[in-house]
Amino acid sequence: MRERMGSWRRRHVLAGLLGSTAVLAAPAILRAAPSGKPVRVGGTLSLTGFLAQTAVIHKIASEIMVEDINSRDGFLGRPVEYVLLDDQSKPDVARSLYEKLITVDKVDLIQGPYATAPILAAMGVAQRYGKVIIQSSMGIPKLQTYDMAFPATPFGPEPDKTYPNVILDAMASLPTPPKSMVILTSKFPSAQFMAQGMKVEAEKRGVKVPLYLEYEAGNRDFGAIAARVKEANADFLWVGSLGLESNQILEALRKLDYTPKGSFHLYPAPGPLALSPDGNLAWSSTFLEPDEPFMSRPGVAKIAAAYKERATKANLPYPLIDAQAAGMVSEWQILEQGVNGAKSLEDKQIAAFLKKNVVNTIYGPLKFDGLYNHGAPAQLIRQVQNKEWKVVWPKEFAAPGVKLLP
Amino acid sequence: MPSATLLGQALISGVLAGGMYGLLALGLSLSWGLLRLVNLSHFALAFLAAYLTYELGTTYHVAPWWSVLLIVPSMFVIGLAQHWIFVRFKVNELGSLLITFSFAVMLEVGIQLYWTADYRRFETHYATWSLKAGPFYIPVLELILCLVAGVLAWGTWLWLRKTYVGKALRASAEDADIAAAYGVDHRKLAYLLSGVGAAYAGVAGTFIALIATLAPAQIWAWLGVVFAVVIIGRLGNPLGALAAGMLIGASESIAMAILSPAWAPVVSFSVLIAILLWDPEWS
């Protein structure tokens, strides 16, 4: 009897072990590598030309996401292959390359390029061939009139109205709210669009704009502009800058022994501005930073770590994930959920799925049921504090212990 | 109406910015005017020098005034090598445009491969130093740049006017066959001039690293305005190049102060057209 009990126990222990092993192994088996003919996703990025410094960020994010998708189930069980071409930062080249991707390379799906002008060029081609196009950097949503174009970044349909009010709310929360504002902007379309919105909204809320200046994208000398900003001597400086223009403007102001009382920078190069002595307490726009509460979103910590590793290896001066890289991550997340949700590679079915469903992205849940296929806006404010960017506004997105500093 | 202080400050900024135009135009003007070679790669060489200054400064902590001692001779050698190609393939004025454009594109790609397309900034503690003169501020780095450009322009002018080599170069540019009949070895002098032009790109590059943002595509940002400066200053005229650079810089800056900064590029090319129509007899 004792022997039989022992044998029974052994059998049950063995069965338990086998069962546990099977349960633990099951996800791995279910996650068997995708197989079959690859699903080819074509797209361009500005790998050379004046937008190249941003494209390299998008390229790294894409590589991470394609590997990530293929480590799960690919698209409908098939591996994903990214066919990437260089549009040289030129919309006309982007247009030709999307034509080539669709008609010659015969890719199954497409991904959007970077920046408003190449996106508009690619969108025209996508519309002609009835392809879904997902983009992350069209700063002027009203130009996205194609009904199968989807935004991967939550600008909202009217960021020129909504985001200035986020900034004005933050300004109003300061112990001494600024009463006047100089607006200085690049003529780069998305920056100019936001600057014009900022002027209108500021004046609506009683903040005077004694000086509004536009300069050519790629302006070389900011000396005279700095002299005008200094003479206007407003309570706040709003800069519609791209890349290192913010650093150049702040340096030009310091050469005139002038430091603005507060400043906002639209699309600056994040690393150089954070590390510059002139950048301390500067504000900027963002959608996500490598901090809480964003890092608690599912999968974000893993993507952020992979991005840091690859960006460091690629010798990028600012290897932390931010809204630029996150935009491309979001593009792939939307496409993956669109394809797998629709259970089809047919563009019309993918578009129909995206319009009816909420998609979980690095930016949180996104909907595409509003004007220009946009959902609710989620543009935030970050501030340089101790040479790091911290999300400070709206308050609920600030990490514990972080607040907007005057 | 802008105040006198604003106008004065804008004028100072513009003249100093024009120093960079003049410095970049110097080498280009010499090769175009005296060798009949339009060297588009001059801008790429300047940016290569800027990136080398950046690399030496940020990675090896070499001060720019030391790195320039390494960079300028290196650029001189590159200039010689480039001229060897021109001679070897019998490149004419039009052909030089195509070949040097290709060379510039290759350098741009090389720079992007090594330093990536990301923006680079050589941060120094003296980048924002200024001198105060009454209500005006004079940025120190830009002032030094202008002084260096002035010394190089005067030195080159004197070299071309007062020395045998300079006179021989000008004679060869005027009529190579007649100059050769008088014993001028144009080929050797052309090598020298090509090296000097590239060395000036090295000097300009060192200052670009200190006062500007580095990105491979920026190579082309100076092209239009510097060509305008070279033409206004008259080909092969170093003092003219510097004066034209300052004129364009000041015009752009005053336009930024009075009108809108977006008018600056229009102003520089309007000045070019006006001067071409006026055709003054300066040289």
Side-chain angles (χ1 to χ4, degrees):
Chain A
M1 183 68 182
R2 189 177 287 171
E3 260 192 10
R4 281 176 67 190
M5 271 296 282
S7 159
W8 182 87
R9 274 183 190 152
R10 272 198 303 275
R11 277 202 302 274
H12 277 75
V13 168
L14 271 171
L17 278 171
L18 281 170
S20 306
T21 309
V23 167
L24 287 170
I29 293 164
L30 291 173
R31 280 202 310 264
S35 59
K37 190 181 163 196
V39 175
R40 302 179 79 218
V41 182
T44 75
L45 287 174
S46 305
L47 299 174
T48 54
F50 78 103
L51 297 169
Q53 59 278 354
T54 319
V56 69
I57 295 170
H58 288 226
K59 183 170 177 271
I60 292 171
S62 280
E63 288 165 358
I64 292 169
M65 288 311 294
V66 169
E67 282 176 27
D68 189 47
I69 291 166
N70 283 335
S71 74
R72 291 192 292 274
D73 200 25
F75 284 177
L76 307 174
R78 289 164 57 188
V80 175
E81 182 189 328
Y82 185 32
V83 183
L84 175 63
L85 303 175
D86 176 16
D87 62 36
Q88 301 166 29
S89 308
K90 296 172 185 164
D92 51 323
V93 177
R95 182 167 47 244
S96 303
L97 292 179
Y98 274 90
E99 193 91 38
K100 176 184 178 291
L101 284 165
I102 295 168
T103 60
V104 180
D105 298 330
K106 299 200 183 303
V107 295
D108 300 287
L109 301 162
I110 57 170
Q111 276 291 32
Y114 171 71
T116 301
I119 290 168
L120 279 173
M123 202 164 65
V125 181
Q127 189 164 15
R128 195 156 60 247
Y129 293 98
K131 306 295 288 181
V132 162
I133 183 165
I134 302 166
Q135 54 76 24
S136 60
S137 50
M138 186 185 266
I140 312 176
K142 66 182 176 188
L143 298 179
Q144 187 184 276
T145 51
Y146 172 41
D147 70 338
M148 293 214 289
F150 295 91
T153 306
F155 282 102
E158 294 179 314
D160 57 324
K161 293 188 175 75
T162 49
Y163 192 51
N165 280 295
V166 175
I167 298 168
L168 291 162
D169 288 343
M171 282 166 57
S173 77
L174 293 171
T176 314
K179 292 189 171 71
S180 61
M181 172 191 281
V182 164
I183 296 177
L184 178 59
T185 184
S186 161
K187 286 183 82 177
F188 195 78
S190 50
Q192 193 185 33
F193 167 72
M194 291 298 284
Q196 287 165 350
M198 189 70 233
K199 183 172 186 290
V200 171
E201 297 303 316
E203 285 171 343
K204 266 188 203 168
R205 290 179 54 166
V207 176
K208 287 181 184 159
V209 182
L211 182 65
Y212 175 93
L213 284 181
E214 293 178 351
Y215 59 85
E216 285 295 332
N219 186 63
R220 288 175 297 271
D221 178 38
F222 285 95
I225 296 172
R228 291 184 74 170
V229 172
K230 183 182 178 183
E231 193 168 77
N233 194 25
D235 295 338
F236 198 81
L237 171 64
W238 190 100
V239 189
S241 54
L242 285 101
L244 275 172
E245 288 168 357
S246 283
N247 288 59
Q248 291 174 298
I249 290 162
L250 292 174
E251 271 180 24
L253 286 168
R254 190 138 66 94
K255 284 177 184 173
L256 303 182
D257 196 26
Y258 180 77
T259 306
K261 298 173 189 88
S263 66
F264 172 90
H265 307 267
L266 190 60
Y267 305 128
L273 187 56
L275 296 174
S276 163
D278 302 310
N280 191 37
L281 300 180
W283 303 10
S284 172
S285 76
T286 190
F287 294 90
L288 170 141
E289 292 298 314
D291 210 339
E292 293 304 332
F294 311 100
M295 298 303 276
S296 296
R297 289 175 184 163
V300 176
K302 184 184 157 199
I303 292 168
Y307 181 82
K308 188 176 179 182
E309 187 190 330
R310 290 189 195 208
T312 306
K313 206 172 162 186
N315 198 23
L316 297 194
Y318 188 73
L320 302 181
I321 196 165
D322 72 349
Q324 283 292 353
M328 191 44 114
V329 168
S330 176
E331 276 191 38
W332 284 98
Q333 289 172 325
I334 294 166
L335 189 62
E336 181 188 18
Q337 289 169 67
V339 168
N340 291 339
K343 295 186 175 53
S344 171
L345 292 173
E346 288 298 318
D347 289 275
K348 281 186 181 163
Q349 292 184 39
I350 295 168
F353 176 86
L354 291 176
K355 282 186 180 181
K356 283 181 195 154
N357 292 278
V358 175
V359 174
N360 290 309
T361 72
I362 192 164
Y363 293 130
L366 292 187
K367 288 166 80 176
F368 308 103
D369 55 353
L371 201 56
Y372 319 119
N373 282 348
H374 268 270
Q379 207 159 0
L380 316 168
I381 296 174
R382 59 181 172 173
Q383 185 179 37
V384 178
Q385 296 184 0
N386 298 321
K387 300 194 181 299
E388 286 181 10
W389 286 107
K390 299 283 178 194
V391 174
V392 290
W393 197 269
K395 284 177 185 171
E396 59 268 31
F397 292 98
V402 175
K403 63 177 183 177
L404 177 64
L405 298 176
Chain B
M1 194 59 195
S3 68
T5 308
L6 174 58
L7 282 175
Q9 190 62 57
L11 190 65
I12 290 168
S13 295
V15 168
L16 296 182
M20 174 56 87
Y21 298 163
L23 187 53
L24 271 169
L26 200 52
L28 195 65
S29 178
L30 291 179
S31 68
W32 196 354
L34 300 177
L35 301 179
R36 299 283 179 257
L37 295 169
V38 190
N39 193 350
L40 286 177
S41 66
H42 191 73
F43 303 94
L45 287 179
F47 264 79
L48 177 63
Y51 271 99
L52 288 171
T53 307
Y54 164 84
E55 184 73 19
L56 288 167
T58 54
T59 309
Y60 302 103
H61 308 293
V62 179
W65 46 90
W66 294 120
S67 58
V68 76
L69 298 178
L70 178 71
I71 288 165
V72 168
S74 308
M75 289 294 144
F76 183 85
V77 173
I78 291 174
L80 295 183
Q82 213 175 27
H83 195 72
W84 179 83
I85 294 171
F86 294 149
V87 173
R88 171 72 181 75
F89 295 100
K90 297 187 176 71
V91 176
N92 61 15
E93 195 168 353
L94 183 63
S96 68
L97 260 174
L98 295 172
I99 287 180
T100 55
F101 175 73
S102 313
F103 190 57
V105 171
M106 283 158 63
L107 268 178
E108 184 188 357
V109 172
I111 286 170
Q112 183 163 326
L113 282 175
Y114 187 77
W115 283 285
T116 77
D118 220 323
Y119 293 116
R120 304 279 164 172
R121 187 85 174 103
F122 185 16
E123 297 283 355
T124 61
H125 63 281
Y126 45 84
T128 52
W129 284 359
S130 287
L131 300 172
K132 195 165 188 300
F136 305 116
Y137 291 84
I138 304 165
V140 172
L141 263 180
E142 282 87 340
L143 181 64
I144 294 171
L145 184 161
C146 267
L147 293 174
V148 169
V151 167
L152 289 180
W154 271 107
T156 311
W157 186 83
L158 287 172
W159 181 55
L160 291 175
R161 297 270 160 178
K162 307 287 180 193
T163 67
Y164 170 77
V165 172
K167 286 174 184 170
L169 270 167
R170 286 167 51 221
S172 295
E174 200 80 22
D175 192 324
D177 293 335
I178 297 289
Y182 282 89
V184 172
D185 188 346
H186 175 250
R187 294 179 66 177
K188 278 187 186 166
L189 292 177
Y191 272 102
L192 176 67
L193 194 68
S194 197
V196 168
Y200 286 169
V203 177
T206 303
F207 281 105
I208 288 173
L210 293 172
I211 63 173
T213 302
L214 301 183
Q218 289 287 319
I219 286 171
W220 308 105
W222 308 81
L223 192 116
V225 70
V226 172
F227 261 90
V229 166
V230 168
I231 294 165
I232 292 171
R234 292 293 165 103
L235 303 184
N237 183 344
L239 286 177
L242 184 63
M246 289 178 169
L247 173 70
I248 292 282
S251 311
E252 285 184 344
S253 201
I254 293 293
M256 286 190 199
I258 296 176
L259 305 167
S260 162
W263 280 91
V266 180
V267 167
S268 57
F269 288 102
S270 303
V271 171
L272 172 64
I273 292 166
I275 287 181
L276 286 177
L277 290 172
W278 175 31
D279 195 21
E281 281 304 313
W282 65 49
S283 62

